[in-house]
Amino acid sequence: MTSTSETGHAINLANFKQLTLLTASFGSRYNPVPDRLKINNLDIVFASTTSAFEVLNTVNGHYLTGISNREAAFEAVKKILSRIYKTAEILSLNPSALKAIKELIRKLRGERAVAKKAQGGNAGDGASKAVYRSVSQLSFDQRIEHFSELVALLQGLPEYAPNEADLTVAHLGALLENMRATNLAVVDAHILLTNARNSRNHLLYAAETGLVDVALDVKKYILAAFGAGSDEYEEVKKITFRKNI
């Protein structure tokens, strides 16, 4: 869903285009002294900001694709965890190894080692409150680390040698590398997305030179040049601009 602020940025750009068309329609009567308010500069501001929007949209598309790819990579690991443990049981791995595998799988799933228990208050409180420390370990970096430990553990167990290709250590290692690669791709894409968004916002909202400040000053000039009751000002005063940052 498009956020309200993102919609607001696009509205500012659309309204600026409307403003530039109106000022151009005034012909030679629109004649401000500051260069930044002249028609040619308005065209430059609009073109550069439009370009920044296009770059941001492209980068955001890459970011969303990266998130989808990462989700698929991590889901593939999640789906195979039960089969890994059952295979380890069938192959009669030693109890300590089975325990370690089970613990790593628990962490990969974000499950608690023990069930939640409410910490009761003093008698007569009328209610007992539960205070828990978050033990969720589902961050992407943590899951990569836990799966890396699981693969290393299985690699060190000669008894773990299933016939199913997708359960072999080699295949699990490939899944691990895919987790790492897709996670890194998202991290890199997020950096590019942040930079693109910052560039877009600077072009929109920089003091004096940004699209919004230029637009507001154009409206002030038209008010001064044509008067509050003029048709020219009546046309532009209803075109709104807001700083959505």
Side-chain angles (χ1 to χ4, degrees):
M1 180 180 293
T2 304
S3 69
T4 301
S5 60
E6 289 299 317
T7 302
H9 301 317
I11 289 173
N12 280 332
L13 182 64
N15 286 352
F16 190 81
K17 179 61 176 178
Q18 183 182 357
L19 181 66
T20 59
L21 291 174
L22 280 172
T23 54
S25 73
F26 298 154
S28 60
R29 294 180 299 137
Y30 180 82
N31 189 29
V33 172
D35 288 339
R36 67 191 187 91
L37 303 185
K38 294 184 184 298
I39 295 294
N40 63 333
N41 188 61
L42 301 186
D43 291 339
I44 291 171
V45 169
F46 179 77
S48 59
T49 308
T50 299
S51 178
F53 268 83
E54 292 170 350
V55 170
L56 178 57
N57 288 338
T58 298
V59 173
N60 187 57
H62 294 160
Y63 176 65
L64 294 176
T65 298
I67 288 177
S68 179
N69 291 340
R70 181 175 67 178
E71 186 175 309
F74 279 66
E75 185 63 23
V77 169
K78 183 179 179 181
K79 287 180 177 179
I80 208 171
L81 293 177
S82 292
R83 294 177 61 209
I84 291 172
Y85 185 73
K86 292 300 180 183
T87 299
E89 281 188 315
I90 292 170
L91 295 175
S92 301
L93 301 188
N94 65 75
S96 61
L98 284 174
K99 182 179 179 181
I101 292 170
K102 187 175 184 179
E103 176 65 10
L104 287 169
I105 289 176
R106 179 190 68 77
K107 290 180 177 180
L108 280 160
R109 288 172 171 163
E111 297 172 349
R112 293 175 180 270
V114 294
K116 290 182 179 181
K117 290 184 179 179
Q119 297 179 357
N122 296 327
D125 284 350
S128 59
K129 298 179 181 178
V131 180
Y132 305 110
R133 176 179 298 178
S134 173
V135 295
S136 174
Q137 300 187 53
L138 286 177
S139 78
F140 294 105
D141 289 338
Q142 286 176 325
R143 277 185 278 176
I144 289 172
E145 180 60 28
H146 296 325
F147 193 63
S148 175
E149 292 175 16
L150 179 59
V151 171
L153 174 60
L154 295 174
Q155 193 170 32
L157 297 170
E159 315 95 284
Y160 185 82
N163 290 328
E164 292 73 24
D166 62 341
L167 293 174
T168 63
V169 171
H171 182 73
L172 299 182
L175 292 179
L176 174 61
E177 290 309 310
N178 196 33
M179 290 172 77
R180 287 172 172 160
T182 55
N183 188 53
L184 181 60
V186 171
V187 172
D188 290 343
H190 185 264
I191 293 172
L192 294 176
L193 178 62
T194 298
N195 291 340
R197 185 176 289 117
N198 289 341
S199 177
R200 187 275 314 270
N201 289 349
H202 177 77
L203 288 168
L204 280 171
Y205 305 118
E208 295 189 9
T209 59
L211 178 147
V212 169
D213 274 10
V214 169
L216 293 175
D217 283 348
V218 166
K219 292 177 68 175
K220 289 178 185 177
Y221 167 73
I222 293 174
L223 171 61
F226 298 96
S230 65
D231 292 338
E232 290 81 3
Y233 184 66
E234 284 296 319
E235 289 185 84
V236 301
K237 75 175 184 180
K238 57 190 175 185
I239 304 176
T240 59
F241 298 91
R242 294 184 176 86
K243 291 199 172 185
N244 298 294
I245 54 173

